[in-house]
Amino acid sequence: MKAIFSLLTMLLALPAHADRLPLPADTPPAYRAECGSCHLAYPPVLLGAYDWRQLMDKLDSHFGSDAAVNPEIGEKLTAFLVANAGNANRTGAAGNPPRISQTTHFLKEHRKIPARFWTDTRVRSAANCEACHTNAASGRFSEHDIAIAELRR
Ligand code: HEC
Ligand code: HEC
């Protein structure tokens, strides 16, 4: 019984299909302001806590950009990201520097997409979630809700 219960808890915590990834209700406004100006304010659950810490430790050299924030805000954002991080066993390795778009989980979810789409002029980068997921900003990543006609189901 106990084993079945923990299995159930695990399944509930790890939905196989997660197309709804809204930002948590208690997301600090600074998250959208500081981390949503150059790209999508990514759902924290898509990276593990360790990877978020690595990323937040090096904001001054962030993928060729300076994304540094003042230390007080940095601490708040790190605490928020870590508290809402995904289970690293589920997201899988994210590379260094960590990328959502390099995690095992992301690559698996996107395995059916032909490689040419990642560099298509409408997309340019796998990090550019909104190029394909029209409603990514409201946390909706459904396979039916895709901007690129050839990829829509
Ligand atoms: C000044 C612009 C800028 C700001 C501000 C910024 N980023 Fe980024 N971020 C980038 C660029 C550029 C990339 C690389 C995009 C690409 O490869 O297409 C990136 C990539 C990322 C990635 C990896 C995306 C992937 O491929 O999965 C994560 C995660 C990320 N940023 C988180 C954050 C967080 C958290 C903050 C706020 C503390 C933040 N970013 C603020 C410019 C910025
Ligand atoms: C080139 C277009 C494209 C880009 C860019 C892209 N995706 Fe996707 N994504 C898709 C497609 C198409 C699917 C559906 C794949 C399938 O069903 O085989 C999908 C599926 C997903 C799913 C699973 C949805 C479900 O129904 O379970 C998630 C979550 C997701 N993407 C998140 C992201 C995030 C986060 C980013 C940015 C870091 C991103 N995607 C970038 C095209 C894209």
Side-chain angles (χ1 to χ4, degrees):
M1 187 59 205
K2 207 171 160 194
I4 293 175
F5 182 73
S6 25
L7 185 67
L8 262 178
T9 320
M10 261 173 68
L11 289 173
L12 289 175
L14 314 172
H17 266 281
D19 61 358
R20 302 267 311 156
L21 303 171
L23 290 179
D26 64 349
T27 300
Y31 186 60
R32 284 189 182 82
E34 303 284 359
C35 307
S37 54
C38 298
H39 47 64
L40 181 72
Y42 297 116
V45 72
L46 293 177
L47 271 186
Y50 175 83
D51 291 315
W52 281 125
R53 283 208 185 85
Q54 294 289 102
L55 199 108
M56 291 301 288
D57 269 353
K58 301 188 192 80
L59 282 183
D60 54 342
S61 60
H62 177 80
F63 304 95
S65 290
D66 182 356
V69 295
N70 84 43
E72 201 185 315
I73 291 182
E75 258 176 52
K76 197 175 181 172
L77 294 178
T78 305
F80 159 73
L81 288 166
V82 165
N84 293 285
N87 178 338
N89 291 329
R90 174 162 159 72
T91 56
N96 182 21
R99 280 184 179 271
I100 292 166
S101 61
Q102 282 301 312
T103 57
T104 318
H105 177 69
F106 181 97
L107 297 174
K108 194 172 156 227
E109 297 267 35
H110 295 88
R111 69 190 177 282
K112 290 182 200 144
I113 298 180
R116 67 177 187 281
F117 284 105
W118 301 117
T119 49
D120 187 291
T121 50
R122 292 166 292 176
V123 179
R124 298 185 318 278
S125 163
N128 193 9
C129 321
E130 285 162 296
C132 297
H133 296 285
T134 321
N135 292 309
S138 27
R140 301 213 300 277
F141 293 92
S142 161
E143 64 196 16
H144 308 298
D145 213 359
I146 300 286
I148 309 282
E150 306 95 291
L151 293 175
R152 209 176 296 139
R153 294 224 203 167

